[in-house]
Amino acid sequence: MTKLFILFFSVLLTFTACSSDSTQKKFEKELKISTNAWIGYAPLFYAKEKGYLKKLNIKLILNVSLSEAADVYLVNDADMVTTTQHELHAIKKTVNDTVPIILLDRSDGGDMILSNKNLQQIKNAKKVDAYLEINSINTNLLRDFIRFHKLDINKFSFINKDQAEIQDLAPNSSKTMLIVTYSPYNVKLKKSGFLEISSTKSLQELIVIDSLCTHKKFLKTQKSRLKQLKAVIDNSIKEIQTDKKGSYKLIKRYLENISYTEYLKALDNIKWINHPSNKLLKRIKPIGYKREYLI
């Protein structure tokens, strides 16, 4: 009886070791996500800090702008990238088979336009210096703002800067300044004296979608692992909503160390769309978000 037990136990240990080795081999290849500071990417930052991404052997590459995050993906230094529809379409010009695979959020005030002047002063100005990430959704937002208020686009000077540079700007009373930015970078700018004059909450015609993207071949070969990543993101969003204070403490360093009050406001300026409605899917299909590739 003892010999039988020992034999059974040895077989069990061998099976367990093989199973563990198989799991290890499954995630032996490190996957990389290129991203940047934005409140809508909070689930990724949270998942990293909780160790959820480590279990899937997934690493985050942090960048200072949307366009820089896209560039990292384009030179094959990342397997996946977070984008709005603007960066997605720009990427597709080079990597045509790139598709959105996980929807994250919709901006509902999180992308905004700030100025050192009021709207009437902007209308009367002969020249407006507009600071923005030109190769990003910032351009779409600015153009929609100009069109909505029937402003003369020719008087706007588009000045390309990343958000790390933009947030260090100070109001100059001798100029009419316009800044296109997003959470959390708006916080420092407002403290410097810039006022919000428009956002994705007021410019309702522009729908800004954030998603995680990759190319079709990667989606096919990593489908099982990506499904686990989707479950991690879903769970992270749920935990962020349940324990806002706890999540803030974990990820505030990814969001320019904004205050807890500012963090709550930033969360209020987005809508989570990781479980999208049919109505939303129908609306965003024309801008490149096809249901067939979504996990």
Side-chain angles (χ1 to χ4, degrees):
M1 191 73 176
T2 305
K3 289 181 179 179
L4 284 174
F5 176 77
I6 292 172
L7 178 62
F8 171 76
F9 189 67
S10 298
V11 171
L12 182 62
L13 282 176
T14 302
F15 176 79
T16 304
C18 289
S19 176
S20 176
D21 184 58
S22 175
T23 303
Q24 183 65 32
K25 286 182 178 178
K26 185 179 179 182
F27 299 137
E28 190 174 310
K29 174 179 167 56
E30 181 183 67
L31 303 183
K32 297 176 183 177
I33 298 174
S34 181
T35 189
N36 64 290
W38 158 243
I39 189 63
Y41 303 148
L44 293 173
F45 309 143
Y46 182 87
K48 179 182 184 299
E49 290 303 307
K50 293 289 285 188
Y52 301 154
L53 293 185
K54 186 176 181 180
K55 290 179 181 178
L56 295 176
N57 199 9
I58 295 176
K59 176 184 177 181
L60 293 185
I61 300 176
L62 300 173
N63 303 279
V64 298
S65 67
L66 289 157
S67 56
E68 185 177 281
D71 288 341
V72 170
Y73 172 79
L74 285 172
V75 296
N76 294 318
D77 281 345
D79 307 287
M80 295 167 275
V81 60
T82 52
T83 74
T84 70
Q85 66 266 29
H86 181 101
E87 297 79 45
L88 171 61
H89 292 306
I91 286 171
K92 286 175 73 69
K93 292 177 182 178
T94 304
V95 186
N96 185 53
D97 70 337
T98 299
V99 293
I101 57 169
I102 299 175
L103 296 180
L104 296 169
D105 68 277
R106 174 187 175 184
S107 178
D108 188 34
D111 294 88
M112 63 210 73
I113 295 176
L114 309 179
S115 182
N116 63 332
K117 308 288 184 179
N118 60 39
L119 184 57
Q120 190 57 52
Q121 289 172 317
I122 293 170
K123 288 180 177 180
N124 295 338
K126 292 182 179 180
K127 180 185 176 184
V128 179
D129 288 338
Y131 301 86
L132 69 159
E133 293 175 40
I134 288 179
N135 298 317
S136 77
I137 197 70
N138 285 184
T139 298
N140 302 63
L141 185 62
L142 180 55
R143 289 184 180 278
D144 268 38
F145 171 79
I146 292 170
R147 185 166 51 251
F148 181 81
H149 292 289
K150 297 180 174 59
L151 303 173
D152 179 9
I153 195 170
N154 294 314
K155 71 179 183 179
F156 285 80
S157 295
F158 285 46
I159 303 170
N160 188 35
K161 288 184 179 292
D162 63 47
Q163 292 299 328
E165 296 173 310
I166 288 174
Q167 72 169 346
D168 288 332
L169 292 172
N172 185 335
S173 58
S174 65
K175 296 181 178 180
T176 300
M177 301 171 68
L178 210 67
I179 293 175
V180 189
T181 188
Y182 45 87
S183 302
Y185 297 105
N186 63 308
V187 172
K188 186 176 180 181
L189 288 162
K190 287 184 175 180
K191 287 179 179 177
S192 296
F194 289 101
L195 300 175
E196 183 177 324
I197 58 171
S198 189
S199 74
T200 44
K201 192 181 287 291
S202 55
L203 297 172
Q204 286 293 312
E205 286 187 13
L206 176 64
I207 182 169
V208 179
I209 300 295
D210 286 285
S211 66
L212 184 64
C213 305
T214 190
H215 51 85
K216 294 176 187 177
K217 184 179 179 181
F218 184 83
L219 171 60
K220 185 177 180 180
T221 59
Q222 297 289 331
K223 190 69 175 283
S224 175
R225 196 165 168 189
L226 293 175
K227 283 183 177 179
Q228 293 181 65
L229 175 59
K230 173 62 162 62
V232 161
I233 289 173
D234 288 344
N235 185 60
S236 295
I237 290 174
K238 187 180 296 183
E239 291 183 10
I240 286 171
Q241 292 175 310
T242 303
D243 183 11
K244 292 186 174 68
K245 190 74 174 182
S247 66
Y248 165 73
K249 290 178 180 178
L250 274 179
I251 67 173
K252 62 180 180 178
R253 69 184 183 91
Y254 295 94
L255 301 170
E256 299 294 312
N257 287 303
I258 58 177
S259 71
Y260 180 55
T261 301
E262 291 158 348
Y263 175 67
L264 294 179
K265 187 173 181 180
L267 285 175
D268 284 341
N269 283 336
I270 59 170
K271 303 292 183 186
W272 298 117
I273 56 171
N274 52 310
H275 296 299
S277 65
N278 288 329
K279 182 179 179 181
L280 177 64
L281 288 172
K282 185 176 180 181
R283 183 177 178 187
I284 65 178
K285 184 178 179 181
I287 58 174
Y289 296 88
K290 296 182 180 180
R291 187 194 298 261
E292 63 185 292
Y293 299 116
L294 295 176
I295 297 172

